[in-house]
Amino acid sequence: METYSIAITRLCVLTEINNMPENVITLADYLANDLRLLKKMDLSNESEAIFYRLYKNVLHAVVKCCLDKPHEQRPGIKFEQYGKRVQEFIAALIEQLNCNDCFAAGRHVANALCNMLILTQESYACIPSFPVQQMSYCIEPEVLQKLSKYIERHVFIGKAESNLQDTNCLLAKKLMLVTYNDVYKLHLAITDYKDTCHILKYYEEKSLFSEELEQLLSIVFENGRNEYSTTVTQIVVDFCKKFNYITKAKNFLSGLHRFQEKNLPDENGNDYLLNIIQHIVDQILATSDGINEVQPSKAKLIKLLDVMHPWVNCLPPDYCKQLTTFIRNHENYVTFMEDEHPIISAHLKKFLKYVKKIII
């Protein structure tokens, strides 16, 4: 298998320097057969991942050629067969997301899957040619969740590499994030960005990846202000499951403020702040039913109102009036202000009192 590993590594390099072999169709046929035998080859994790990378390069070349010119006659290509291979290959990559493989292997798997998801997005399904439709892949929500957690594990949680590999490792992790970002930027069928929470929660915490994380924040924001506020709110709420949640929430919210000033110059800063505050308040009031001392995560949730004081202080009086109206009109406001909800009522009254001082 050592000879095979060397061969696929060389082929992988060859296909990535714009020197795709002329007999790429034949190579794709060979690799399709090897994919079925891959688990029996006893390759190392990294060699197996190199195979995925090579097969992605070759299959990508064939499929892209077909999708770019769907009506051109190609007697050497069996469209139905390649449609099936696309589905099998993507399924194999998704299966790899369940594996606890090393970073050297994981980066190839993640990048290959991201590239294939973008290439085969279902927007091509509008092409009347049925064989070409078979090369389209309809991405499932659970796939995005698995992919996000896989990227998180390899980029942010994985063990540190040796000093000799630090630079290369950092660049490889950055590439993983950029490729992941491209899925959300270029895949036209993705409308739910909630799984980006697994990645974006490291904004402000992992400064080495600030550029890539800001890029992802921008992509989510461009999808819609409401989607953006919902996503960042979920991150703040999830911090309540952590030990040092107040510090994490404060740092993250401060980072979002700086992000807006730096990357969203045309966005009204007050509208930006108010929208996020309202989303957080709504989440607190919507999920705080039954708060008591036995439920620490919910008890932490209501304390997020205190964390938002500095943000509220940045709002002008008329925006604070809007915030007060929003809270008082919330469907759970009257219920939570009653005596049987003393914890929520106390924090809510304190927060409203703070907002009122700014209005006056």
Side-chain angles (χ1 to χ4, degrees), residues 151-324:
I151 297 289
E152 177 189 12
R153 184 167 73 248
H154 282 294
V155 175
F156 301 111
I157 302 177
K159 295 180 180 179
E161 306 291 330
S162 66
N163 292 333
L164 292 176
Q165 296 176 319
D166 276 350
T167 301
N168 289 336
C169 179
L170 177 61
L171 291 175
K173 288 184 175 184
K174 282 177 170 287
L175 177 60
M176 283 183 75
L177 283 177
V178 169
T179 309
Y180 172 81
N181 291 352
D182 283 344
V183 173
Y184 286 90
K185 181 179 180 180
L186 302 176
H187 201 296
L188 304 180
I190 295 178
T191 57
D192 190 343
Y193 287 58
K194 64 182 179 182
D195 294 308
T196 59
C197 290
H198 298 292
I199 307 300
L200 290 175
K201 67 184 179 183
Y202 294 98
Y203 184 59
E204 279 299 294
E205 183 179 335
K206 302 290 185 180
S207 59
L208 288 174
F209 304 102
S210 58
E211 182 179 349
E212 292 76 23
L213 293 174
E214 285 184 355
Q215 181 190 47
L216 184 55
L217 276 172
S218 296
I219 292 170
V220 177
F221 185 84
E222 289 170 5
N223 186 61
R225 182 187 296 172
N226 187 65
E227 185 72 31
Y228 175 84
S229 296
T230 300
T231 301
V232 298
T233 294
Q234 188 58 53
I235 293 172
V236 173
V237 170
D238 287 343
F239 281 148
C240 292
K241 302 172 185 177
K242 307 292 184 179
F243 174 72
N244 55 340
Y245 75 101
I246 290 181
T247 300
K248 284 182 174 291
K250 283 183 176 179
N251 291 341
F252 184 72
L253 289 173
S254 297
L256 292 182
H257 196 177
R258 289 191 293 272
F259 167 77
Q260 181 267 320
E261 294 175 337
K262 175 184 176 183
N263 298 281
L264 306 172
D266 297 330
E267 176 71 8
N268 184 297
N270 293 325
D271 289 339
Y272 176 85
L273 292 178
L274 179 62
N275 195 267
I276 294 177
I277 292 172
Q278 287 179 336
H279 271 76
I280 294 176
V281 170
D282 177 67
Q283 189 74 2
I284 291 171
L285 296 180
T287 59
S288 295
D289 189 23
I291 280 184
N292 56 58
E293 295 180 358
V294 184
Q295 298 168 301
S297 62
K298 285 190 174 183
K300 289 178 180 178
L301 189 63
I302 195 67
K303 293 179 181 178
L304 287 176
L305 292 173
D306 298 335
V307 174
M308 290 190 294
H309 282 189
W311 268 41
V312 173
N313 200 45
C314 294
L315 294 175
D318 55 330
Y319 279 82
C320 287
K321 288 181 181 179
Q322 292 182 49
L323 177 58
T324 300

Side-chain angles (χ1 to χ4, degrees), residues 17-68:
I17 58 175
N18 295 321
N19 191 18
M20 188 68 70
E22 292 183 3
N23 56 346
V24 65
I25 303 298
T26 303
L27 180 56
D29 291 339
Y30 284 136
L31 294 177
N33 291 328
D34 288 352
L35 177 65
R36 300 184 183 95
L37 301 172
L38 195 61
K39 297 302 179 183
K40 299 179 181 180
M41 290 185 182
D42 196 27
L43 296 174
S44 67
N45 287 338
E46 187 169 5
S47 292
E48 185 174 325
I50 288 290
F51 172 85
Y52 289 129
R53 181 169 174 173
L54 170 62
Y55 191 27
K56 182 267 297 183
N57 292 343
V58 174
L59 200 57
H60 193 283
V62 176
V63 174
K64 191 175 189 306
C65 181
C66 296
L67 293 177
D68 286 346

